[in-house]
Amino acid sequence: MRRFLLPVVATIVLAACGGSTETDGSTGGSGGEGAAPTAAGGGAGSGGGVVDKQPPGTGYASVDGQEQTFTTPGGIPCKVTDEEFSFSFIQGDNEVTIGGGASIQANGWFGSLSMRIVMDDGVIEYSAQINDNNDAVAVDGNSVSYAGPMVKYLPAPPGQLPEPIDIGDGVFSATCA
């Protein structure tokens, strides 16, 4: 049940993101360039190992042949500490969003991170598997990354829920301003 609720919660949170209509000129569909590393340093309160560390006020995603850089903040304030993080960024008028957050619980990191791409026929969502891969989270100062297993949700027919598709490793990274 938890695996079902996290994408739903992330979808609701990201859908509530505000934003501007400016785009940052990033590219998508890089054909596999910028693929995620197979191993990532990190864990709760790590002192380094942030993958694809970004400049302040920037988010980044590399997953399933998509590579996106984000410079426009979304509706979730950017915050990174050793015990929790949250961020959101948008492109255009919420055509592409990235964000979510996690905090340290008794069993490690618990939360959700996703990137959503609005298409003419629905929304494609990429979701990090944080709860099952705590070592994929790295924190360093005001920067955070998740570099590990992800799933993809394709648009589902009306009345049906999308099924997760394992797509291998990807990277979500952000640095707060």
Side-chain angles (χ1 to χ4, degrees):
M1 182 69 167
R2 181 177 78 184
R3 288 183 191 266
F4 169 74
L5 288 178
L6 287 176
V8 172
V9 170
T11 299
I12 292 168
V13 169
L14 288 175
C17 292
S20 86
T21 58
E22 298 177 0
T23 61
D24 67 0
S26 28
T27 60
S30 63
E33 294 175 5
T38 57
S46 70
V50 170
V51 177
D52 289 321
K53 191 171 184 177
Q54 297 298 299
T58 306
Y60 173 79
S62 175
V63 60
D64 195 29
Q66 298 281 329
E67 189 170 357
Q68 304 280 340
T69 300
F70 301 83
T71 57
T72 303
I76 299 173
C78 194
K79 177 182 178 182
V80 177
T81 70
D82 285 344
E83 293 83 32
E84 65 182 346
F85 64 86
S86 61
F87 63 86
S88 70
F89 293 93
I90 64 171
Q91 290 179 5
D93 193 19
N94 287 325
E95 287 94 9
V96 183
T97 59
I98 184 174
S103 62
I104 296 292
Q105 304 295 316
N107 295 323
W109 289 103
F110 181 78
S112 67
L113 283 175
S114 63
M115 179 173 76
R116 299 180 74 226
I117 302 170
V118 178
M119 310 290 284
D120 289 339
D121 61 344
V123 175
I124 296 173
E125 181 173 331
Y126 296 95
S127 183
Q129 301 298 288
I130 293 174
N131 304 334
D132 297 328
N133 299 288
N134 279 227
D135 290 342
V137 176
V139 173
D140 183 11
N142 63 342
S143 296
V144 62
S145 69
Y146 170 87
M150 297 205 188
V151 294
K152 176 181 184 177
Y153 296 89
L154 295 173
Q160 294 182 15
L161 296 174
E163 293 292 325
I165 302 165
D166 289 324
I167 55 166
D169 288 352
V171 174
F172 291 157
S173 184
T175 299
C176 297

